[in-house]
Amino acid sequence: MNKRLFITLIYLTLSISLSANEEIKTLLHELDQALQQRHIYVENKEKQLSYLQARFEESDTQEQRYKILSNLYEEYRLFNADSSLHVVRELYETAQRTSNKEYIVNARLNMAEVLGVAGMFTEALDILKDIQVPNLPKHLLPYYYHICRTIYGYMDDYAVTPSQKKLYNEQTDLYRDSILTVNDPESITFQIVKADQYNVHGKWDEAINLLEEYSRTHPLQIHEKAMLMFTLSEAYKLKKDNENRKRCLLESSIADLKSAVREYSALRELAVILYKEGDIDRAYTCIKLCMEDASICNARLRIVEVLELFPVINDTYQKEKEAQQEKLKIMLYVIFALALCLSGGIYYLYKQMERLALARRQVIEANNKLTQANDNLHKSNSKLQDANHSLAENITLKEVYIGRYMDQCSAYIDKMDEYRKSLGKIAASGKLEELFQKLKSSQYIDDQLKDFYENFDDTFLQLFPHFVEEFNKLLVEDEQIHLKNPHRLNTELRIFALIRLGITDSIKIAQFLRYSVTTIYNYRTKARNKAKGNREEFEKNVIKIGYKQEPV
């Protein structure tokens, strides 16, 4: 059980650590974006200032001028110390012209606040001492104590002797207590000052719990978030929780940048942390912005604070850049050397490719000649095969027809002998009239021709069983021949059957079929006119029917 609990604790610790790392990475990315968009936030701030300035110039009454100047002071307060000092002087003069005591006191408090930020502590305290605290309106008391606490806090930070530091520290504590007595416990001011009090007295856990809980349960304006997160970072600093301190400083810095203030506390401390972590580029960017904005704002205290850090970070940054430049030079030399080698390699490769291209052209020419020779050989082989096939076919046809011819001749001899014997019997019996009738009749010859043609059809269709089908393919569809008896050819088919067998002479065909030459010619012409393709090639195509090309 203990082992399982130990593993669970390790797993939870690792999960929390990974989650924190991811959050820091996200915040760093958001900080980089805020730094890049800094000019946009400043432009928006300047547009707001221009708008208020235009309203001020258009205002008719001192009351309106006072309210607009108050808004201008709030906008300038953390944006430009010189401008805020100029505005607060005009605000004081306007308040005097209104004869409103509350306005006058508020303007004097504004003046004290500006002088304190500018480092003019004596002048600021002189103004505060002249203010009668018992006569202050209730709503101005928190502001009065806040200024007192802020000025004595600055004096504590910059005190030289221990006695002075002790005195200013005590005064800061007193005014911190006063702030807590006059502010609503649920207000952001109360929470931040209370947490600050916890931090001063070493109760950082109470400060952390107070501010973490308040940030979760209360909606915060962007500048309020910046102040709260900075105070929370101080508590984590005292607790030596660097991870959470860095997180709070990042959130506070991002809020400051988006608020377009020019007085940074969080960004300055964040730059130190980044510097110690070795993130020199980002640290330099942050501290450089702190220096530039402090100079533009003319916030003397911030300039002094930044000047303590800027030279160290800047020196490291410059050394790192110099080292990078040296590395860059070396890399450039290496790249130059590699470029020379690459150029030589490319030149060598180009020459090799030229040789290869020449060899390839020679091979292509040789292949073309070989292909042409192969084509010629193929044509010769095709012609030889055609001749061999034709010869073989002719031999086959001759063998078949010789056999048929010998059988038919033998059969005709037997029939003639029988016919002779029948005539001899008629003559011997003295039937001269019957004998003359027999000799005059053509019936016997007609019967023999019929048998002869039937025998021809049978023999031819055995040799070329698909002749009729292939012959019809050579004719247009409407002119194709359809036989009633598939085993008997008509006259037209017999003519072309003889042509297929190599008998192309119309006279011989006419003698064979017992027709006139004109009739045979007409049949051949009519068939050519019905041809589907080239009529001149029709009879050549008929001769090819049944011809089987042997594979090459």
Side-chain angles (χ1 to χ4, degrees), residues 77-294:
R77 189 166 57 86
L78 298 176
F79 185 70
N80 191 305
D82 289 342
S83 297
S84 60
L85 182 60
H86 172 75
V87 169
V88 82
R89 282 172 179 164
E90 194 164 355
L91 179 67
Y92 181 66
E93 292 174 2
T94 305
Q96 285 182 319
R97 284 195 288 271
T98 62
S99 301
N100 186 316
K101 292 182 179 180
E102 184 179 319
Y103 286 176
I104 294 170
V105 171
N106 190 67
R108 288 175 63 77
L109 289 174
N110 292 156
M111 179 70 75
E113 184 178 26
V114 172
L115 293 172
V117 172
M120 302 170 71
F121 304 134
T122 304
E123 292 83 348
L125 289 175
D126 287 342
I127 293 173
L128 293 173
K129 287 174 184 176
D130 287 343
I131 294 173
Q132 302 296 319
V133 176
N135 297 330
L136 273 176
K138 245 186 176 183
H139 67 275
L140 288 179
L141 277 173
Y143 185 39
Y144 172 82
Y145 290 136
H146 165 73
I147 296 169
C148 293
R149 180 248 174 243
T150 301
I151 292 173
Y152 278 111
Y154 285 147
M155 294 172 73
D156 179 23
D157 292 337
Y158 295 100
V160 178
T161 64
S163 59
Q164 285 181 324
K165 193 170 187 65
K166 182 181 177 183
L167 173 64
Y168 299 148
N169 186 268
E170 288 173 354
Q171 289 295 318
T172 304
D173 278 345
L174 287 173
Y175 283 115
R176 187 185 293 114
D177 291 339
S178 298
I179 291 172
L180 293 175
T181 59
V182 295
N183 275 283
D184 181 5
E186 287 300 311
S187 68
I188 181 70
T189 302
F190 182 92
Q191 298 292 318
I192 290 174
V193 173
K194 187 65 178 177
D196 185 46
Q197 187 182 61
Y198 282 143
N199 285 337
V200 169
H201 294 92
K203 298 179 180 180
W204 48 79
D205 283 330
E206 287 85 341
I208 291 169
N209 293 333
L210 179 71
L211 295 181
E212 290 284 12
E213 176 65 23
Y214 191 82
S215 66
R216 282 194 300 269
T217 56
H218 291 75
L220 299 174
Q221 295 181 6
I222 191 163
H223 187 58
E224 291 176 344
K225 182 179 181 181
M227 293 189 297
L228 185 143
M229 284 297 167
F230 180 74
T231 307
L232 187 55
S233 74
E234 290 295 305
Y236 280 120
K237 178 182 178 181
L238 293 168
K239 192 179 180 180
K240 300 188 183 332
D241 186 345
N242 294 325
E243 196 72 22
N244 276 310
R245 182 193 175 202
K246 183 178 179 181
R247 171 180 62 82
C248 293
L249 287 174
L250 279 165
E251 291 194 50
S252 180
S253 298
I254 293 165
D256 276 340
L257 290 167
K258 291 181 177 180
S259 300
V261 301
R262 282 191 169 131
E263 290 187 37
Y264 307 107
S265 296
L267 193 63
R268 185 184 69 254
E269 293 198 15
L270 179 63
V272 177
I273 292 175
L274 294 172
Y275 172 76
K276 290 179 180 178
E277 290 178 349
D279 193 351
I280 305 301
D281 286 348
R282 196 178 268 124
Y284 176 77
T285 302
C286 293
I287 201 69
K288 184 169 176 285
L289 180 63
C290 290
M291 174 60 80
E292 290 173 352
D293 278 3

Side-chain angles (χ1 to χ4, degrees), residues 46-96:
E46 289 173 344
K47 286 178 183 177
Q48 177 64 16
L49 291 169
S50 298
Y51 169 74
L52 290 172
Q53 191 65 43
R55 282 190 58 200
F56 173 74
E57 292 172 0
E58 294 170 359
S59 58
D60 298 327
T61 65
Q62 296 299 325
E63 184 83 15
Q64 287 178 342
R65 291 168 69 85
Y66 175 83
K67 289 179 180 179
I68 294 170
L69 284 169
S70 295
N71 292 333
L72 268 172
Y73 171 70
E74 282 301 317
E75 294 293 333
Y76 272 121
R77 189 166 57 86
L78 298 176
F79 185 70
N80 191 305
D82 289 342
S83 297
S84 60
L85 182 60
H86 172 75
V87 169
V88 82
R89 282 172 179 164
E90 194 164 355
L91 179 67
Y92 181 66
E93 292 174 2
T94 305
Q96 285 182 319

Side-chain angles (χ1 to χ4, degrees), residues 371-491:
T371 301
Q372 188 175 0
N374 285 336
D375 288 342
N376 293 334
L377 182 60
H378 178 72
K379 290 176 182 177
S380 299
N381 286 337
S382 295
K383 289 178 181 178
L384 183 59
Q385 285 180 357
D386 289 343
N388 288 336
H389 184 79
S390 180
L391 181 61
E393 187 180 63
N394 288 334
I395 291 170
T396 302
L397 290 173
K398 286 176 181 179
E399 287 176 351
V400 172
Y401 269 93
I402 287 170
R404 289 275 184 168
Y405 174 72
M406 290 177 70
D407 290 340
Q408 200 163 12
C409 285
S410 176
Y412 281 150
I413 290 170
D414 291 340
K415 286 180 180 181
M416 292 301 291
D417 187 49
E418 288 177 5
Y419 186 62
R420 178 187 63 78
K421 287 178 181 179
S422 67
L423 290 176
K425 288 179 181 179
I426 294 171
S429 62
K431 298 178 181 179
L432 294 177
E433 186 63 32
E434 185 180 349
L435 179 61
F436 282 124
Q437 289 295 327
K438 283 272 188 182
L439 290 173
K440 286 179 182 180
S441 175
S442 61
Q443 183 65 41
Y444 181 78
I445 299 300
D446 291 339
D447 291 340
Q448 297 306 313
L449 280 173
K450 182 180 178 183
D451 291 341
F452 174 74
Y453 291 141
E454 288 178 357
N455 187 274
F456 172 79
D457 293 346
D458 291 339
T459 304
F460 183 81
L461 290 174
Q462 284 179 10
L463 289 171
F464 304 100
H466 302 291
F467 178 79
V468 177
E469 182 182 346
E470 295 298 323
F471 184 80
N472 277 330
K473 288 180 181 179
L474 299 175
L475 303 177
V476 294
E477 190 172 350
D478 295 340
E479 298 293 341
Q480 291 179 357
I481 298 170
H482 302 284
L483 299 172
K484 293 181 180 179
N485 186 347
H487 303 294
R488 292 290 171 261
L489 302 175
N490 61 16
T491 302

